[in-house]
Amino acid sequence: EGFAVVLAGHSLGGGVAALATWLLAPLVDPVCYTFGCAAMVEAPFARALRRRVVSVILHDDIIPRASAVNAKQLAFELRAFKKTWQRSYKDDWEAFSLRAQGIWAPRQRGGKEHDYRVGGGGSDVVVGIDNLNDAVVGGGGGGGG
């Protein structure tokens, strides 16, 4: 008498503390605080411990949600996704490929009006592209800077 039994734990240690709370309940009046407690028991047992155990869970923490029930639901959803992902992937890949071809495809330009000056310093080199496969290189006039 004159003391309180308080258990605490994090992750798997929180699960151990919650189970120890259940074991100690007939002897003393324990209270338990868990942080990110791993899923340890079925729902009816968890409801029975609710009066003695307080669990604090971060909204995105996967450990408290990694139960057998949730794993089964995830497997079900992955099987359903497996049946449809290839069609979606094919459509997405074709759309991406068409966009990529438009961005990176070389453009055929004819005539000398598409000459490009390359260089600097003492002399420039003029590169004229007559067709897609040929580049004509000739000496340019001085200029530069």
Side-chain angles (χ1 to χ4, degrees):
E1 278 194 54
F3 63 92
V5 176
V6 178
L7 295 99
H10 170 257
S11 192
L12 186 57
V16 171
L19 292 175
T21 299
W22 176 69
L23 292 172
L24 291 172
L27 306 173
V28 292
D29 190 23
V31 177
C32 178
Y33 298 95
T34 70
F35 301 90
C37 178
M40 301 288 293
V41 296
E42 296 292 325
F45 188 54
R47 279 191 292 277
L49 288 174
R50 184 179 292 166
R51 189 173 70 78
R52 299 182 182 279
V53 178
V54 176
S55 291
V56 179
I57 300 172
L58 183 63
H59 58 89
D60 288 342
D61 193 354
I62 192 172
I63 297 301
R65 292 164 178 80
S67 67
V69 172
N70 288 343
K72 187 176 180 179
Q73 179 65 31
L74 177 61
F76 174 78
E77 290 176 13
L78 288 174
R79 280 193 297 275
F81 178 71
K82 183 180 177 183
K83 295 176 183 176
T84 62
W85 79 270
Q86 290 175 330
R87 183 178 60 243
S88 298
Y89 172 77
K90 183 180 177 190
D91 293 345
D92 290 347
W93 181 252
E94 287 174 4
F96 172 78
S97 296
L98 288 173
R99 275 187 247 125
Q101 288 171 9
I103 293 171
W104 291 301
R107 308 238 183 333
Q108 185 168 352
R109 296 176 177 96
K112 298 291 183 186
E113 68 273 6
H114 295 290
D115 290 349
Y116 300 95
R117 287 199 179 272
V118 180
S123 65
D124 291 332
V125 175
V126 177
V127 178
I129 299 177
D130 289 332
N131 66 45
L132 191 59
N133 297 318
D134 299 323
V136 178
V137 179

